[in-house]
């Protein structure tokens, strides 16, 4: 049986989401809540190992946690040519209700931290995965739907891999999302290649749940 990073938190997050909705039902309000999960892994010895670890984390979350509504693979999403929306924050990103996904990479360059973003497309996803072999400081995937004004609104999912600045030999794998989306019907999960080498279980983990009244 394979041992993927997501196997450690998928069930936990679904259980916490149900708790949030139960609290809302008992209190007579609609929950405005998010769920946060974090796993801490020892940094792999090389770029190939880091890519394998983070790629599995991101690919599983993009399909399993986003459900059908936000899954860029299921929608064959291609936002090619629309990256200017990430630089011009004052202009709408697209049409209301449209799926909007972006990929972000932060790295150290000449002693300074820099960050670059790109919108989702098959080509940019492949380039993003190639960047992982350089072991950047932080990489982030953001999935959401555009609101009535054409700006990112919700539901949403953010997936992150971050090297701890104070503990550079560790990497934090995190997922944050709007809790109500756990009740969308998930798509069948893509089987893992039989020859894939899976990472060991995390050495430690941390999970948080918050419930906020609107």
């Amino acid at each position: 049986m394979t041992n993927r990073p997501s196997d450690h938190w998928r069930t936990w997050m679904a259980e916490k989401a149900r708790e949030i909705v139960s609290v809302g039902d008992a209190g007579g309000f609609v929950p405005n809540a998010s769920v946060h999960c974090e796993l801490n892994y020892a940094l792999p010895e090389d770029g190939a190992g880091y890519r394998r670890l983070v790629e599995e984390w991101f690919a599983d979350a993009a399909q399993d946690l986003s459900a059908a509504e936000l899954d860029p693979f299921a929608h064959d999403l291609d936002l090619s040519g629309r990256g200017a929306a990430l630089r011009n924050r004052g202009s709408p990103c697209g049409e209301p209700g449209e799926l909007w996904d972006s990929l972000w990479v932060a790295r150290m360059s000449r002693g300074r931290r820099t960050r670059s973003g790109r919108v989702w497309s098959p080509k940019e996803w492949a380039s993003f995965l190639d960047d992982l072999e350089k072991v950047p400081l932080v990489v982030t995937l953001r999935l959401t739907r555009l609101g009535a004004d054409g700006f990112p609104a919700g539901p949403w999912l953010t997936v992150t891999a971050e090297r701890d600045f104070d503990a550079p030999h560790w990497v934090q794998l995190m997922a944050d999302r709007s809790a109500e989306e756990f009740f969308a019907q998930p798509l069948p999960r893509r089987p893992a290649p039989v020859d894939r080498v899976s990472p060991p279980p995390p050495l430690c983990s941390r999970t948080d749940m918050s419930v906020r009244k609107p």
Side-chain angles (χ1 to χ4, degrees):
M1 180 179 296
T2 59
N3 178 26
R4 300 166 72 90
S6 56
D7 293 336
H8 299 285
W9 47 262
R10 184 182 294 107
T11 301
W12 180 91
M13 293 191 81
E15 291 174 351
K16 290 305 179 184
R18 292 186 179 91
E19 289 182 23
I20 289 173
V21 172
S22 296
V23 170
D25 290 343
F29 64 91
V30 176
N32 174 21
S34 62
V35 178
H36 171 82
C37 179
E38 177 182 318
L39 301 179
N40 297 290
Y41 276 83
L43 188 70
E45 295 182 355
D46 56 25
Y50 184 79
R51 171 176 175 161
R52 182 169 58 248
L53 177 70
V54 176
E55 180 178 355
E56 288 183 355
W57 176 256
F58 276 51
D60 282 356
Q63 184 170 27
D64 293 343
L65 283 182
S66 62
E69 186 172 6
L70 298 178
D71 186 350
F73 299 108
H75 289 274
D76 294 324
L77 185 64
D78 191 344
L79 300 174
S80 297
R82 299 173 58 181
L86 299 180
R87 298 184 294 274
N88 186 2
R89 298 296 182 89
S91 299
C93 298
E95 297 297 321
E98 186 177 11
L99 178 59
W100 183 257
D101 298 359
S102 57
L103 300 158
W104 299 85
V105 177
R107 54 175 59 88
M108 292 297 294
S109 177
R110 298 179 181 178
R112 297 182 59 187
R113 178 168 171 160
T114 63
R115 190 178 76 148
S116 60
R118 65 194 87 181
V119 293
W120 181 284
S121 71
K123 181 179 179 180
E124 293 293 1
W125 171 244
S127 179
F128 176 79
L129 296 179
D130 288 341
D131 281 346
L132 296 179
E133 298 196 19
K134 302 174 184 177
V135 194
L137 287 177
V138 186
V139 288
T140 305
L141 165 67
R142 295 176 179 170
L143 309 174
T144 189
R145 288 279 174 179
L146 301 181
D149 57 0
F151 290 92
W156 53 267
L157 167 68
T158 300
V159 187
T160 305
E162 181 174 357
R163 291 166 51 205
D164 193 319
F165 184 81
D166 296 320
H169 299 298
W170 289 84
V171 57
Q172 299 170 317
L173 304 181
M174 295 172 280
D176 296 86
R177 64 164 298 163
S178 47
E180 71 276 8
E181 281 308 294
F182 279 99
F183 302 97
Q185 181 64 36
L187 296 178
R189 181 178 169 190
R190 297 187 307 279
V194 295
D195 60 345
R196 173 171 287 179
V197 179
S198 298
L203 297 182
C204 62
S205 63
R206 181 174 67 84
T207 51
D208 294 307
M209 179 184 72
S210 60
V211 180
R212 303 184 301 275
K213 291 187 177 182

